Amino acid sequence: VLCWFYVYPAYRLPRDKDIVDEVLRQGDAWTKNQTGIDLYRKLLSECCDPGRMFAVTKENSPMGKVLWYDGEFYHSHTVNNETYRLFVQDNPLQLPLKKCAVVGNGGILRHSKCGRDIDQADFIMRCNLPPLSKEYTEDVGTRTHLVTANPSIIEKRFQNLLWSRKAFVDSMKAYGSSYIYMPAFSMKPGTDLSLRAYYSLSDTSSNLTMLFANPEFLRTVGKFWKSHGVHAKRLSTGLFLVSLALGLCEEVTTYGFWPFSMGLNEQPISHHYYDNILPDKWFHAMPEEFLQLWHLHKTGTLRMHVGHCP
Ligand code: CDP
């Protein structure tokens, strides 16, 4: 039997309008807080060891290692001949990264003119193979160093890569020579899709490097935020990337994180900068995540860009 308190959370989130008011009150005021930055880097390295663990590597996942899927119970993959050789040797990033930009896909980016700002970062992370075509350049920029690809996108947008590999490989050119970060060991059906994406890229000598997200890292990051009060079945991709950035970068700026139905001018706003397809409400807890990020912004640990860029 479903009790009301399972359906309605006991805590109350502020209304969209209250969040708008709060963000406007804060305005452009922001002061970097090195103590906060150091603290979060320390907390994240203690819980989750991002530098060593964010990707599946030959070093952290030798032959025979059991990788437990973080998105479902009692499923695992034992590293074998076929998978081991697809793993990078070790963490390929040059650490520490300096200025990082983490770009969410929120509709707040539309007409933001943040493209130039974003492109000036040293390391740019994006979520879920977002469109970077000309019409968006001014708002979201063109450069990418790491982009996530959920296997479900491969399924929906590229018909499981059964016959449309060229469309996939061509569309990946938008991300230059970046890392493509796929949660290959999170949900069972994602493994084959991720391997197929890997082979599609390697067969065509693509410039992209595939990194498989380490399910152990995803699980520990999930626990970290749970202990900070994020009540989601699964964290959003954006929060995983912000956590990675807080662990690896000297400075973190976020763009496109705004999971609300109105903009700062109180006008309706689309969910994404490129469409208005809404997420599954019970799966993610984006507004709750936003409040966590907003707290980090106010305390100077990262900088959130919500409005227009100068
Ligand atoms: O697949 P998922 O729902 O996680 O992400 P998405 O819709 O492709 O957007 C990428 C990320 O941007 C999300 O994971 C959120 O962290 C963030 N986002 C946001 O904060 N506000 C929005 N309106 C849309 C996305």
Side-chain angles (χ1 to χ4, degrees):
V1 179
L2 267 181
C3 296
W4 67 268
F5 51 83
Y6 283 123
V7 182
Y8 297 102
Y11 54 90
R12 285 275 291 266
L13 282 169
R15 294 174 312 143
D16 289 10
K17 168 83 172 77
D18 296 335
I19 293 177
V20 168
D21 289 346
E22 155 75 9
V23 168
L24 291 176
R25 250 195 317 276
Q26 181 75 12
D28 286 337
W30 186 82
T31 320
K32 177 171 160 176
N33 168 5
Q34 194 59 46
T35 314
I37 294 174
D38 294 342
L39 174 68
Y40 266 80
R41 184 168 317 127
K42 180 167 174 285
L43 291 175
L44 281 159
S45 63
E46 282 167 5
C47 72
C48 318
D49 197 1
R52 193 175 96 83
M53 292 302 289
F54 86 103
V56 176
T57 64
K58 289 192 163 81
E59 188 266 332
N60 64 34
S61 304
M63 281 282 225
K65 162 112 184 167
V66 179
L67 299 172
W68 287 97
Y69 286 65
D70 63 298
E72 44 194 328
F73 291 113
Y74 309 124
H75 274 301
S76 63
H77 170 83
T78 305
V79 177
N80 58 30
N81 266 328
E82 192 202 350
T83 46
Y84 181 74
R85 64 196 187 83
L86 311 186
F87 303 161
V88 291
Q89 182 60 39
D90 207 345
N91 160 40
L93 306 178
Q94 285 274 328
L95 300 180
L97 302 171
K98 292 191 163 53
K99 288 186 183 197
C100 295
V102 185
V103 187
N105 289 335
I108 196 90
L109 273 171
R110 196 84 178 109
H111 309 302
S112 68
K113 296 208 165 40
C114 284
R116 211 155 38 121
D117 237 55
I118 293 172
D119 277 347
Q120 274 170 6
D122 301 306
F123 196 85
I124 301 166
M125 307 188 191
R126 301 185 193 265
C127 305
N128 296 327
L129 305 179
L132 298 178
S133 43
K134 252 208 162 102
E135 58 181 307
Y136 305 119
T137 299
E138 210 182 12
D139 298 329
V140 304
T142 56
R143 300 172 64 227
T144 305
H145 297 88
L146 182 146
V147 61
T148 69
N150 210 310
S152 66
I153 306 180
I154 305 287
E155 185 189 337
K156 289 188 201 123
R157 219 186 286 167
F158 302 104
Q159 293 78 45
N160 287 326
L161 290 177
L162 290 173
W163 49 78
S164 60
R165 289 177 174 220
K166 186 171 183 307
F168 171 68
V169 171
D170 284 350
S171 79
M172 296 304 286
K173 289 185 180 143
Y175 311 106
S177 53
S178 64
Y179 294 104
I180 160 162
Y181 187 58
M182 286 194 82
F185 303 102
S186 291
M187 310 280 257
K188 198 80 182 152
T191 305
D192 273 353
L193 286 168
S194 304
L195 299 186
R196 235 175 269 158
Y198 179 100
Y199 287 119
S200 304
L201 294 173
S202 67
D203 289 352
T204 50
S205 339
S206 153
N207 289 330
L208 293 144
T209 304
M210 176 72 81
L211 295 176
F212 299 124
N214 194 319
E216 207 169 311
F217 174 71
L218 301 180
R219 185 178 298 111
T220 52
V221 170
K223 276 194 190 151
F224 175 82
W225 287 108
K226 196 165 200 167
S227 74
H228 283 65
V230 176
H231 305 81
K233 189 159 167 225
R234 190 174 173 76
L235 297 184
S236 76
T237 309
L239 191 56
F240 279 121
L241 287 190
V242 171
S243 313
L244 182 62
L246 286 170
L248 303 184
C249 307
E250 285 173 356
E251 265 182 61
V252 180
T253 308
T254 68
Y255 302 83
F257 285 79
W258 185 256
F260 307 109
S261 53
M262 63 165 76
L264 292 177
N265 54 5
E266 296 182 29
Q267 294 303 306
I269 194 172
S270 62
H271 181 61
H272 291 134
Y273 69 83
Y274 47 86
D275 70 25
N276 195 22
I277 298 174
L278 295 173
D280 181 349
K281 268 223 162 69
W282 298 106
F283 197 57
H284 290 325
M286 281 190 204
E288 228 177 56
E289 294 184 357
F290 175 88
L291 293 179
Q292 293 288 335
L293 297 180
W294 182 246
H295 170 74
L296 294 179
H297 171 84
K298 283 184 72 162
T299 53
T301 301
L302 55 70
R303 185 165 197 172
M304 274 192 113
H305 251 288
V306 194
H308 285 245
C309 287

